[in-house]
Amino acid sequence: MGILDNFERGLERAVNGAFARTFKSGLQPIEITAALRKEIDSRAAVVSRDRILAPNRFTVRLSPADSTRMTALGSNLIDELTSLVQQHARSQGFQFAGPLSITLEKDDSIADGLVQVESGTVQGDVSWAAVVDVDGTRYPLKRGKVVIGRGSDADITIPDTGTSRRHVEIVWDGSRAQVTDLGSTNGTTLNGQRISQAPLPPDSVVQIGRTRIVFRIVPQTAADRAGGGR
């Protein structure tokens, strides 16, 4: 089931059947969702390999008649639209610079049945955090030392027999990171080069045994949702 199908089903549930009675003809809420999705896809900007920023403020302009019909749903419609924009952004790997805002506005120049979406970016209080992606699993890094290896006493334990019990250590001070090999049997590479100790820039790849570790800087909210860690 696609995102638009999810929207129609969710909206019907939210308004207790009002969807079917109110929108038998004319502009459908699902068309607003499609317009928002098109806008966010076209305006998303690649900032780095791990960051794609999307607009977080949307103004949906509707004809007077369509505006009256849509605003009759009250906050339920905005809540559903907001939820689905967030869902689509997550599925595409987009990030927002601040809180998401969607407003409906009446526009006498818009014909019935048409939708015009304008978007922009409003900066919010976004803090950044450090994480490591270990073979597809994300772990947030707290300030201080994190040891990775196959031993149970490691902060992040990996089931890789090609690694030592305490194989590598990552130190994060809140702004910079460093990686140190802890005298492992098979060694450690950073971006393909064998190292004993080295600075760890964002998006660097650390290889220990068969395990690939990627160090990233992400929005704090993304780190909060990550599983694992210390």
Side-chain angles (χ1 to χ4, degrees):
M1 179 175 289
I3 186 171
L4 299 185
D5 298 319
N6 285 336
F7 172 80
E8 187 170 6
R9 182 165 58 87
L11 185 61
E12 284 187 282
R13 181 174 60 252
V15 300
N16 296 321
F19 179 89
R21 296 193 301 273
T22 307
F23 302 109
K24 292 180 180 179
S25 61
L27 181 71
Q28 303 293 314
I30 202 170
E31 295 175 75
I32 299 177
T33 302
L36 287 167
R37 184 170 64 170
K38 181 179 179 180
E39 179 72 9
I40 196 173
D41 287 345
S42 65
R43 295 290 303 277
V46 178
V47 176
S48 71
R49 189 167 60 185
D50 195 44
R51 299 176 201 160
I52 304 177
L53 291 182
N56 61 319
R57 181 179 63 185
F58 298 88
T59 301
V60 179
R61 302 190 184 280
L62 306 170
S63 72
D66 289 332
S67 176
T68 298
R69 292 166 60 240
M70 296 299 167
T71 54
L73 288 176
S75 61
N76 289 316
L77 176 61
I78 298 300
D79 289 346
E80 289 295 327
L81 292 174
T82 300
S83 175
L84 283 160
V85 167
Q86 291 172 331
Q87 178 185 331
H88 179 64
R90 285 195 300 269
S91 71
Q92 299 301 310
F94 298 159
Q95 299 166 1
F96 299 117
L100 184 61
S101 170
I102 300 175
T103 58
L104 304 182
E105 288 193 3
K106 179 177 67 174
D107 190 325
D108 293 335
S109 67
I110 303 293
D112 290 349
L114 298 182
V115 180
Q116 180 179 318
V117 178
E118 298 175 356
S119 65
T121 298
V122 179
Q123 295 290 332
D125 185 13
V126 179
S127 58
W128 299 88
V131 301
V132 288
D133 290 335
V134 182
D135 282 346
T137 300
R138 176 161 291 186
Y139 299 86
L141 296 181
K142 297 180 180 180
R143 296 190 184 190
K145 301 177 180 179
V146 174
V147 174
I148 303 174
R150 64 180 173 83
S152 59
D153 57 339
D155 299 301
I156 300 176
T157 302
I158 54 177
D160 183 347
T161 56
T163 63
S164 298
R165 294 183 60 83
R166 294 171 60 87
H167 194 113
V168 73
E169 176 187 84
I170 294 176
V171 178
W172 165 248
D173 68 2
S175 60
R176 295 170 298 178
Q178 177 178 278
V179 58
T180 302
D181 182 88
L182 298 177
S184 66
T185 300
N186 296 324
T188 299
T189 63
L190 174 63
N191 297 325
Q193 301 295 318
R194 193 176 181 106
I195 57 97
S196 57
Q197 185 178 81
L200 189 60
D203 299 326
S204 295
V205 178
V206 177
Q207 188 77 32
I208 60 173
R210 297 183 302 276
T211 300
R212 184 173 185 266
I213 303 167
V214 184
F215 172 74
R216 304 186 191 278
I217 303 297
V218 301
Q220 183 69 52
T221 52
D224 290 341
R225 289 194 298 268
R230 292 196 293 171

